[in-house]
Amino acid sequence: MPDGNPKKPSRIQTRNRSVILDAALEVFSRHGYRGATLDQIATEAGLSKPNILYYFEGKEDIHVTLLSKLMETWLDPLVALQSDGDPAEEILGYVQRKLDMARDLPRESRLFAGEILQGAPRMGPHLETDLRPLFDEKCALIQGWVDTGRLPPLDPQHLIFSIWSATQHYADFDAQVKVLLGQGSDPHKRASAHLRSMFGNMLRI
Amino acid sequence: MPDGNPKKPSRIQTRNRSVILDAALEVFSRHGYRGATLDQIATEAGLSKPNILYYFEGKEDIHVTLLSKLMETWLDPLVALQSDGDPAEEILGYVQRKLDMARDLPRESRLFAGEILQGAPRMGPHLETDLRPLFDEKCALIQGWVDTGRLPPLDPQHLIFSIWSATQHYADFDAQVKVLLGQGSDPHKRASAHLRSMFGNMLRI
DNA sequence: TCGTGTATTTACCAAATGGTAAAATTTCAC
DNA sequence: GTGAAATTTTACCATTTGGTAAATACACGA
């Protein structure tokens, strides 16, 4: 049994757990938790169903593991929002990082979106524990910039919401975006320019 | 059989179909298509499962009916975006209508979001047929305002995406928003002020 | 009130799905 | 190479779930 005990995992274990999680990310992000089946995940992973249940306790275990690992990655860009340089450029850099992330990790974005959309049934605690403190910290940072006149008056909480929604939109609503944009010139570049303009305007004193 | 034939529906039919659709909206929007069960919908509607299958051909029929009816409602605010008054105020009015809609019809917003998130498997055609033409028309309208100098240079397509994402975020990611805002002063009002400021800034010449 | 079409319930079914037991196979330290 | 442990497969099972058939109850115009 690979789980529970403190022994270090074998090479096979490490590889297979990672293969399974990647397959599960693919399937869960496309069909949602309920819509995904263990058979689909098994096929995608190139393993048999009982075999994946050898590495994970069950469907929910896979999903939760995925969400936990994802949370780190997901918060990275926000963690990187520091009080180093020019406030406006700091925030615009954050916007850019989030947008790049939506392009590079669309499956992760959709997995997250699906979970929240359904009321975060398997992630509620994580939100309180991991996201909330970081969110509060960065809101305070931005509020500080406002208070010291380095940014115009604005609402840090809703600013962050706008950044999240505007950037993740391109991953989460990809199906719609594709239909509406047709095949135009480098959508990512145009989105980036638009967002830089929009948020840039609002951050200018 | 209530379906297919051209007879006008009885009072009971009208009432029950509407009761079922409302229950289905509740269940589908909370759990997604696959996550929802006919039993849940039946319970929510106060009817038996075979009874709802007397009014609809099956689970998918209910879902598709729901999405079709929703599409109208959903596009209304965009239809109302006309070339009447001041361009900036027209667009800000649209933002406000969309935000109000996210507050008043969160279930509809989540149903729509869930469908798009999964690649619009049951709504692809509708997007091309209903949404695309309207989107193109309104983009042209906005582009016209830009070309005649009544709006600063901006990207109409991505502007609309930003409006959609920023407003619907409050309905679709409600679970997250609730956790992060705690209980503050009238979130809707603050969101409204923030969005008016953000988009107002960008629309000013 | 009677009879006919409408509406609802009861009793099912087949497929899908998450999961398990145990046998068979492979890996690897010695 | 050998044996024990890890890994994988085969053969299942119980539950859930979308859906159906047929019997029953009901509404309502004549």
Side-chain angles (χ1 to χ4, degrees), chain A residues 7 10 13 16 34 48 50-51 54-55:
Chain A
K7 275 192 228 144
S10 73
Q13 268 184 51
N16 279 356
R34 250 326 269 304
S48 67
N51 203 176
Y54 173 74
Y55 290 101

Side-chain angles (χ1 to χ4, degrees), chain B residues 22 41 44-45 64 70 72-73 80 99 128 150 156 160 189 193 198 200:
Chain B
D22 189 69
I41 296 173
E44 182 81 24
V64 169
L70 168 58
E72 279 179 58
T73 316
L99 186 63
E128 279 285 2
R150 302 180 69 195
I160 292 181
K189 193 177 266 180
M198 182 169 73

Side-chain angles (χ1 to χ4, degrees), chain B residues 91-155:
Chain B
I91 293 174
L92 288 176
Y94 175 56
V95 171
Q96 188 61 51
R97 286 195 297 278
K98 284 292 288 180
L99 186 63
D100 291 344
M101 209 156 178
R103 177 195 50 189
D104 300 333
L105 304 173
R107 301 179 308 175
E108 283 82 350
S109 188
R110 285 200 304 269
L111 182 75
F112 196 86
E115 174 68 10
I116 303 293
L117 196 62
Q118 304 197 349
R122 279 164 286 277
M123 224 184 40
H126 275 286
L127 291 183
E128 279 285 2
T129 314
D130 303 345
L131 181 56
R132 176 85 199 258
L134 185 66
F135 179 77
D136 288 343
E137 176 198 329
K138 299 306 179 184
C139 280
L141 173 64
I142 295 174
Q143 188 61 56
W145 284 334
V146 172
D147 291 342
T148 56
R150 302 180 69 195
L151 280 182
L154 51 80
D155 189 323

Side-chain angles (χ1 to χ4, degrees), chain B residues 32-104:
Chain B
Y33 179 75
R34 251 323 270 304
T37 71
L38 287 179
D39 289 280
Q40 275 177 295
I41 296 173
T43 302
E44 182 81 24
L47 299 172
S48 68
K49 182 169 62 174
N51 204 176
I52 31 181
L53 290 169
Y54 174 74
Y55 290 101
F56 290 91
E57 284 178 24
K59 188 182 180 181
E60 184 157 344
D61 183 27
I62 302 177
H63 195 246
V64 169
T65 303
L66 219 41
L67 285 172
S68 298
K69 283 184 185 274
L70 168 58
M71 190 58 103
E72 279 179 58
T73 316
W74 217 236
L75 297 183
D76 271 349
L78 188 54
V79 171
L81 182 69
Q82 296 285 355
S83 58
D84 289 343
D86 175 57
E89 278 309 319
E90 273 294 329
I91 293 174
L92 288 176
Y94 175 56
V95 171
Q96 188 61 51
R97 286 195 297 278
K98 284 292 288 180
L99 186 63
D100 291 344
M101 209 156 178
R103 177 195 50 189
D104 300 333

